[in-house]
Amino acid sequence: MADSNITKNALAVSMKKLMEKKPFSKISVGDICEDCGMNRKSFYYHFRDKYDLVNWIFYVDFIERMDWSSCRNEWDMLEALCSHFYRERLFYQNALQVEGQNSFREYFCGMLRPVLMLLTQNLVEEGRKKEFYIAFLCEGVLGELVYWLREGSKITPEEFVEDLHDISLGLARKIIAEEAGTQNVIPILQNKEV
């Protein structure tokens, strides 16, 4: 088992190094193997493809190493995630650009959905509308995350999550006001206390 982790970690280090220099689409399995001095057979013994390697990197670097007990709520979890992306921004900026089946973007959306479900649990009824709302929020958060990383992360992870919190709160208040039949939206958006 230890040898397996040594090999996986060596491949991960090479992938991260390569992704800091060039786009994901320009990196081949051969490039990764050459960089760490391994053969393709070793790579395919551990990973299905380079997408699988990128997803594994996220899982090991963030999910396994995260101190979940330090999170008081979903927003703390999101802040920890953004802090991780901030520290590794060149890698994640590149990883999140790739779309499609097995991509990190798809994998990450799958991880983000349960967090968004918790954040919105009492806003929308279960069913089709809830799924639509979660998908909408997931794409919105993902789009802003990609923009934030691409623009050089000009604000801190804490500020970024605070902005996400504020816009989410404003939208939630608007939804609740509309459900209650209130159409005066401006005071709702101005009141940011929670």
Side-chain angles (χ1 to χ4, degrees), residues 139-194:
E139 285 301 317
V141 168
L142 192 55
E144 280 305 305
L145 188 59
V146 168
Y147 178 78
W148 175 60
L149 293 171
R150 187 180 63 234
E151 292 302 307
S153 315
K154 295 176 183 170
I155 60 174
T156 67
E158 296 80 15
E159 292 169 317
F160 178 71
V161 172
E162 185 178 322
D163 288 350
L164 286 176
H165 180 266
D166 290 347
I167 191 69
S168 300
L169 192 57
L171 288 171
R173 286 192 170 121
K174 181 171 179 359
I175 291 168
I176 291 167
E178 286 178 1
E179 289 293 317
T182 306
Q183 295 302 316
N184 193 357
V185 175
I186 304 232
I188 293 168
L189 294 177
Q190 289 174 339
N191 181 8
K192 295 196 293 188
E193 293 177 20
V194 168

Side-chain angles (χ1 to χ4, degrees), residues 16-174:
K16 282 180 161 182
K17 185 168 65 170
L18 290 168
M19 284 179 68
E20 288 180 4
K21 297 175 186 170
K22 57 185 176 177
F24 180 83
S25 62
K26 303 283 187 201
I27 299 170
S28 69
V29 169
D31 295 333
I32 300 164
C33 293
E34 182 181 323
D35 185 77
C36 65
M38 290 187 196
N39 60 42
R40 293 170 65 88
K41 188 176 179 181
S42 294
F43 180 93
Y44 287 113
Y45 180 78
H46 296 287
F47 300 105
R48 289 186 311 267
D49 52 30
K50 63 184 184 176
Y51 299 94
D52 192 28
L53 172 57
V54 170
N55 296 342
W56 182 84
I57 290 169
F58 172 73
Y59 187 83
V60 169
D61 283 358
F62 181 72
I63 302 296
E64 281 190 354
R65 294 182 181 153
M66 173 68 186
D67 177 13
W68 296 103
S69 65
S70 67
C71 295
R72 298 166 303 192
N73 56 41
E74 297 81 14
W75 293 104
D76 284 351
M77 191 183 319
L78 198 53
E79 190 173 308
L81 174 72
C82 290
S83 293
H84 176 71
F85 280 3
Y86 186 80
R87 284 188 302 275
E88 304 272 341
R89 63 185 158 275
L90 290 175
F91 174 74
Y92 286 106
Q93 178 182 343
N94 195 343
L96 287 166
Q97 295 297 319
V98 181
E99 295 186 34
Q101 187 175 6
N102 301 327
S103 68
F104 176 67
R105 189 180 182 110
E106 180 183 79
Y107 177 78
F108 178 68
C109 271
M111 302 291 269
L112 187 59
R113 288 177 75 79
V115 175
L116 294 173
M117 296 281 276
L118 286 170
L119 288 171
T120 61
Q121 63 188 350
N122 296 321
L123 290 178
V124 180
E125 293 177 23
E126 291 298 323
R128 188 181 62 81
K129 286 185 180 181
K130 179 99 173 176
E131 284 301 312
F132 175 81
Y133 190 62
I134 296 300
F136 177 79
L137 287 176
C138 191
E139 285 301 317
V141 168
L142 192 55
E144 280 305 305
L145 188 59
V146 168
Y147 178 78
W148 175 60
L149 293 171
R150 187 180 63 234
E151 292 302 307
S153 315
K154 295 176 183 170
I155 60 174
T156 67
E158 296 80 15
E159 292 169 317
F160 178 71
V161 172
E162 185 178 322
D163 288 350
L164 286 176
H165 180 266
D166 290 347
I167 191 69
S168 300
L169 192 57
L171 288 171
R173 286 192 170 121
K174 181 171 179 359

